[in-house]
């Protein structure tokens, strides 16, 4: 009888209200979530769904990146869906904004999953772990955007990024809101530790200038408080250890294992990140192809693209670098700096010493050729004299005779030359009758500045002594007496060689340095910087006054073939 009654009632009337919704198993496509949400405020992105069981409904998971919550951090254990969440965030922004409004610059250290986003017109670059130059240039490009906007804000009296967007200067800016996306924070700290300071500055200053930081990490403890405090939008997926949760340790243990994209909100509600696809399908099957298809479809809607990351050239000729006509004869252009891709200039008037360290065939001698060529081009023989110490004769004929003050190829030739040079410089030391005006103008002596250029310094300072020893007492007064010292030395045995008296004295006088390719086993060389393998002609310019910067040394003359 019961079966007959149920069969007769089936299909009649409205279905009964289900108390519990289905489990959060199938992640929706981000394209479907964006379409269901409709138009949203600028930089408000739908990236998933939030389960509200006691309200018997599911709401879209919205992140508002327009204000103080503009920084994003995604934290989760292995295979929890961190990289997928980043792709979903980028696709959600691309579906709701133009390439003029938002741009993404990605550093993919988490396994290569962000590579499929490179086809998006909103993505200016995707750098992998194996492309260290692009990783550094990506950070430098974003940091440079902050510096440029900071300068414009100060010049025009602009107080906020909203006011900047309404200003003609903001309308002419090719960048809108720029996002630096870092997938694999622990890898960045381990392999690119020098970038952490720059990224910290981006996190602390960026939001005021429309620059956002997006980070994915394996656990909360990987992120230093100086950065974490600036990341207001926090997405916590399933953690390897629920005890590390910042959303709630007890409820974090209830997030199921093996469900990528599942996590908790700050209200202790379960959420599910949408998958980065626009074809309406759910699940992660065929996700790389779906991301590529979505990127190609979005790219077809726009004619413009995000500004690309400019790369440091592998080779550049000295004559290709623009030089200010009003530069001082002591200002030496020697390459291109990575931070702004601007000329790298040594100002010997302010810093009279330069140390160059590197392995064989790394470009030390070519750097000396470039420096001497720039000195010859920038000063007359009455202003500049160059004394070459070249035991291997690799600089023979580089300096014209009228600029050449001396050329030594052995200790026998260098010993009397150094003694004569020391005598000349002692005569320039200020006497008792020098006035304060003369000290400021450095007018108590006349003559050219003397540039002592030493190649293969490890051959000069040997067990039998150092022929340059007569100049040792004059080094502290080098700026006043017109002495400039440029030493190039191989990096092998540098840990001991830095304590040689002449070289150690130059280093103690806060000399600038160029650390070219070398072994990290030599330890901290200058300013706490360790050497590393680099392409020929490239080095880290270490300076206590202007900071550290990667530089590509210019070639003194273009070489065909």
């Amino acid at each position: 009888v019961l079966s007959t009654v149920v069969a007769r009632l089936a299909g009649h009337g409205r279905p009964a209200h289900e108390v519990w919704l289905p489990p959060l198993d199938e992640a929706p496509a981000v394209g479907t979530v964006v379409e269901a949400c409709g138009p949203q405020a600028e930089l408000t992105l739908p990236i998933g769904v939030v389960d509200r069981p006691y309200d018997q409904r599911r709401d879209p998971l919205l992140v508002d990146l327009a204000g103080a919550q503009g920084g994003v951090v995604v934290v989760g254990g292995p295979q929890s869906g961190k990289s997928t969440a980043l792709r979903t965030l980028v696709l959600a922004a691309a579906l709701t904004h133009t390439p003029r409004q938002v741009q993404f610059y990605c550093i993919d250290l988490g396994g290569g999953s962000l590579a499929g986003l490179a086809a998006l017109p909103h993505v200016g670059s995707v750098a992998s772990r194996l492309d260290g130059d692009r990783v550094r240039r990506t950070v430098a490009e974003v940091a440079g955007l902050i510096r440029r906007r900071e300068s414009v804000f100060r010049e025009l009296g602009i107080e906020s990024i909203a006011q900047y967007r309404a200003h003609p200067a903001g309308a002419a800016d090719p960048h809108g809101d720029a996002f630096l996306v870092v997938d694999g924070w622990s890898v960045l700290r381990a392999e690119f530790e020098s970038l952490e300071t720059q990224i910290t500055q981006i996190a602390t200053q960026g939001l005021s200038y429309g620059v956002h930081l997006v980070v994915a990490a394996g656990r909360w403890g990987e992120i230093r408080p100086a950065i974490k405090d600036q990341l207001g939008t926090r997405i916590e997926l399933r953690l390897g250890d629920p005890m590390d949760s910042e959303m709630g340790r007890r409820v974090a243990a209830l997030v199921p294992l093996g469900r990528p994209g599942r996590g908790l909100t700050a209200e202790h509600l379960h959420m599910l990140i949408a998958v980065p696809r626009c074809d309406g399908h759910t699940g992660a099957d065929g996700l790389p192809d779906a991301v590529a298809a979505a990127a190609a479809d979005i790219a077809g809607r726009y004619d413009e693209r995000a500004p690309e990351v400019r790369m440091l050239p592998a080779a550049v000729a000295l004559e290709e670098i623009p030089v200010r006509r009003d530069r001082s004869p002591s200002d030496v252009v020697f390459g291109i700096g990575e931070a702004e891709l601007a000329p790298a200039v040594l100002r010997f008037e302010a810093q009279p010493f330069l140390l160059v360290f590197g392995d064989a065939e790394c470009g030390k001698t070519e750097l000396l050729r470039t420096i001497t060529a720039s000195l010859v081009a920038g000063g007359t023989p009455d202003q500049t004299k160059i004394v070459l110490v070249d035991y291997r004769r690799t600089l023979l004929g580089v300096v014209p005779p009228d600029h050449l003050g001396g050329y030594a190829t052995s200790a026998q030739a260098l010993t009397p030359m150094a003694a004569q040079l020391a005598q000349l410089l002692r005569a320039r030391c200020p006497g008792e009758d020098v006035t304060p005006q003369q000290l400021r103008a450095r007018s108590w002596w006349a003559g050219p500045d003397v540039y002592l250029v030493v190649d293969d310094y490890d051959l000069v300072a040997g067990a039998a002594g150092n022929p340059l020893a007569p100049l040792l007492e004059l080094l502290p007064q080098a700026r006043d007496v017109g002495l400039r010292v440029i030493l190039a030395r191989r990096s092998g045995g540098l840990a001991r060689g830095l304590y040689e008296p002449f070289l150690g004295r130059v280093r103690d006088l806060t000399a600038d340095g160029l650390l070219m390719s070398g072994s990290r086993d030599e330890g901290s060389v200058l300013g706490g910087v360790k050497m590393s393998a680099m392409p020929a002609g490239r080095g880290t310019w270490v300076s206590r006054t202007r900071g550290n910067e990667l530089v590509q040394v210019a070639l003194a003359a273009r070489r065909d073939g």
Side-chain angles (χ1 to χ4, degrees):
V1 173
L2 179 60
S3 299
T4 302
V5 172
V6 171
R8 295 288 182 91
L9 293 176
H12 295 277
R14 293 183 299 176
H17 175 68
E18 294 186 5
V19 177
W20 303 114
L21 297 176
L24 282 174
D25 290 333
E26 292 290 336
V30 66
T32 303
V33 177
V34 169
E35 184 178 353
C37 289
Q40 298 289 329
E42 187 174 356
L43 292 183
T44 298
L45 309 178
I47 61 171
V49 293
V50 178
D51 189 21
R52 298 183 176 273
Y54 296 107
D55 297 330
Q56 300 181 17
R57 73 171 193 269
R58 284 180 182 157
D59 295 338
L61 175 61
L62 300 174
V63 291
D64 182 8
L65 308 182
Q69 311 299 311
V72 183
V73 56
V74 181
V75 176
Q79 302 297 315
S80 61
K82 299 185 296 295
S83 299
T84 301
L86 295 182
R87 288 185 290 179
T88 298
L89 180 72
V90 175
L91 271 182
L95 289 168
T96 54
H97 297 76
T98 69
R100 193 74 167 73
Q101 294 174 307
V102 296
Q103 299 88 36
F104 291 88
Y105 297 91
C106 305
I107 298 176
D108 187 2
L109 309 176
S113 59
L114 301 186
L117 299 174
L120 277 173
H122 303 69
V123 176
S125 174
V126 177
S128 68
R129 184 177 63 86
L130 299 178
D131 194 354
D133 288 347
R134 183 169 289 275
V135 171
R136 288 187 294 268
R137 274 300 305 147
T138 299
V139 176
E141 194 80 9
V142 176
L145 174 61
I146 294 178
R147 287 193 297 270
R148 290 193 298 272
R149 286 184 173 176
E150 185 177 11
S151 177
V152 171
F153 280 28
R154 183 174 59 252
E155 292 175 3
L156 301 179
I158 296 175
E159 298 180 356
S160 65
I161 186 63
Q163 183 182 354
Y164 176 70
R165 294 191 183 104
H167 194 277
D173 191 340
H175 290 90
D177 278 86
F179 292 78
L180 176 62
V181 182
V182 182
D183 186 11
W185 182 250
S186 60
V187 179
L188 183 135
R189 290 187 60 188
E191 300 189 17
F192 302 94
E193 57 182 339
S194 61
L195 298 180
E196 186 176 4
T197 301
Q198 297 184 54
I199 295 179
T200 302
Q201 295 175 350
I202 291 173
T204 54
Q205 302 175 8
L207 291 181
S208 300
Y209 301 102
V211 177
H212 308 252
L213 177 64
V214 182
V215 171
R219 49 193 296 271
W220 290 106
E222 295 176 3
I223 307 173
R224 298 183 190 274
I227 293 181
K228 186 167 67 173
D229 292 346
Q230 308 300 322
L231 305 177
T233 298
R234 302 183 178 185
I235 300 173
E236 183 179 286
L237 305 176
R238 169 72 192 195
L239 297 174
D241 183 2
M243 295 298 291
D244 294 333
S245 174
E246 290 201 351
M247 303 300 178
R249 297 176 179 179
R250 183 179 58 83
V251 290
L254 301 178
V255 178
L257 288 167
R259 304 278 182 86
R262 284 291 299 271
L264 285 176
T265 69
E267 294 139 348
H268 296 179
L269 297 174
H270 285 252
M271 67 176 181
L272 179 61
I273 302 295
V275 290
R277 56 195 311 162
C278 300
D279 52 11
H281 297 289
T282 60
D285 295 337
L287 199 53
D289 294 336
V291 172
D297 178 62
I298 294 173
R301 307 176 195 176
Y302 301 102
D303 296 328
E304 54 186 351
R305 288 192 61 92
E308 296 183 358
V309 170
R310 302 167 298 164
M311 297 299 297
L312 194 64
V316 60
L318 184 59
E319 61 265 21
E320 296 175 355
I321 301 177
V323 178
R324 292 177 53 182
R325 295 184 178 181
D326 60 343
R327 71 184 178 103
S328 168
S330 62
D331 291 348
V332 175
V333 178
F334 72 101
I336 295 291
E338 183 185 50
E340 299 287 349
L341 296 184
V345 182
L346 295 167
R347 306 192 186 280
F348 284 105
E349 184 68 28
Q351 174 50 266
F353 305 112
L354 176 67
L355 300 175
V356 183
F357 301 130
D359 287 338
E361 305 297 328
C362 71
K364 299 188 300 297
T365 302
E366 186 62 42
L367 170 63
L368 298 184
R369 292 193 184 99
T370 299
I371 291 176
T372 54
S374 185
L375 286 171
V376 170
T380 66
D382 295 333
Q383 297 171 317
T384 302
K385 288 294 184 182
I386 301 173
V387 176
L388 286 179
V389 180
D390 183 22
Y391 280 20
R392 293 174 55 241
R393 295 176 172 82
T394 54
L395 299 174
L396 185 63
V398 168
V399 179
D402 52 352
H403 280 84
L404 188 62
Y407 186 76
T409 59
S410 65
Q412 291 76 17
L414 179 58
T415 300
M417 186 185 299
Q420 293 175 8
L421 180 57
Q423 183 179 359
L424 170 67
L425 296 176
R426 286 193 191 97
R428 294 181 176 184
C429 292
E432 299 293 338
D433 57 344
V434 174
T435 65
Q437 292 78 11
Q438 288 177 319
L439 285 174
R440 286 193 293 267
R442 208 187 68 179
S443 60
W444 69 90
W445 61 267
D449 287 336
V450 179
Y451 291 82
L452 176 63
V453 180
V454 183
D455 195 8
D456 297 302
Y457 179 77
D458 48 296
L459 300 179
V460 176
N466 190 344
L468 297 175
L471 298 171
L472 184 60
E473 61 178 321
L474 295 166
L475 292 178
Q477 303 181 65
R479 184 184 305 174
D480 296 329
V481 300
L483 174 63
R484 316 289 183 245
V485 181
I486 304 164
L487 302 180
R489 187 197 189 282
R490 65 181 178 89
S491 59
L494 192 57
R496 299 185 306 274
L498 287 174
Y499 294 96
E500 187 273 328
F502 192 89
L503 181 58
R505 186 57 170 157
V506 171
R507 187 187 65 162
D508 291 343
L509 293 171
T510 67
D512 282 1
L514 189 71
L515 306 184
M516 307 185 81
S517 182
S519 172
R520 294 180 63 89
D521 295 339
E522 299 296 337
S524 298
V525 179
L526 292 174
V529 179
K530 295 182 179 180
M531 305 188 74
S532 60
M534 293 187 183
R538 190 162 293 183
T540 302
W541 184 11
V542 180
S543 173
R544 293 189 182 183
T545 57
R546 61 177 307 280
N548 304 336
E549 183 179 11
L550 194 69
V551 174
Q552 179 65 41
V553 174
L555 300 174
R558 179 177 291 281
R559 299 177 180 178
D560 297 332

